[in-house]
Amino acid sequence: MKLAGRRVEAVLSEEGQTALRLAGLDVPETALPLFFVEDTDELGMWVRLKREDDTHWLLVRWEFVLSVDFLPPERQRIGVGSRGGGS
């Protein structure tokens, strides 16, 4: 499953939540953090973060990720019943 280029919500372990808080992120205990995934590798997800000074990338290690939730991309319909031009 490719996660790069997608917005995802992640369920993190308690250690993962603590690590993100130490990195300066506001991670509510009841909410799923929402991330834009730039890339993934064997270590984890590289996510994009907006900070006051600039955009940063942060590694969220796989060992902290319990699950990932995202909407699948819409499939483009072609032909009768497709959205688009025409009447």
Side-chain angles (χ1 to χ4, degrees):
M1 178 79 41
K2 291 185 178 184
L3 297 178
R6 295 185 182 202
R7 295 184 74 77
V8 304
E9 291 179 313
V11 177
L12 303 174
S13 67
E14 288 185 29
E15 294 85 8
Q17 291 176 29
T18 299
L20 290 183
R21 284 189 188 103
L22 288 171
L25 272 70
D26 181 24
V27 182
E29 290 184 32
T30 57
L32 301 172
L34 178 65
F35 300 114
F36 182 83
V37 179
E38 287 288 344
D39 202 1
T40 59
D41 61 21
E42 64 279 351
L43 296 176
M45 298 185 300
W46 290 94
V47 300
R48 184 188 309 170
L49 301 175
K50 293 279 188 182
R51 296 195 188 248
E52 290 180 18
D53 63 339
D54 206 348
T55 300
H56 295 248
W57 287 11
L58 177 74
L59 173 64
V60 179
R61 296 181 57 95
W62 291 126
E63 65 195 59
F64 297 142
V65 178
L66 301 177
S67 70
V68 175
D69 180 31
F70 62 92
L71 288 172
E74 276 191 41
R75 295 184 182 226
Q76 187 174 19
R77 294 183 193 176
I78 300 174
V80 177
S82 65
R83 289 187 246 168
S87 13

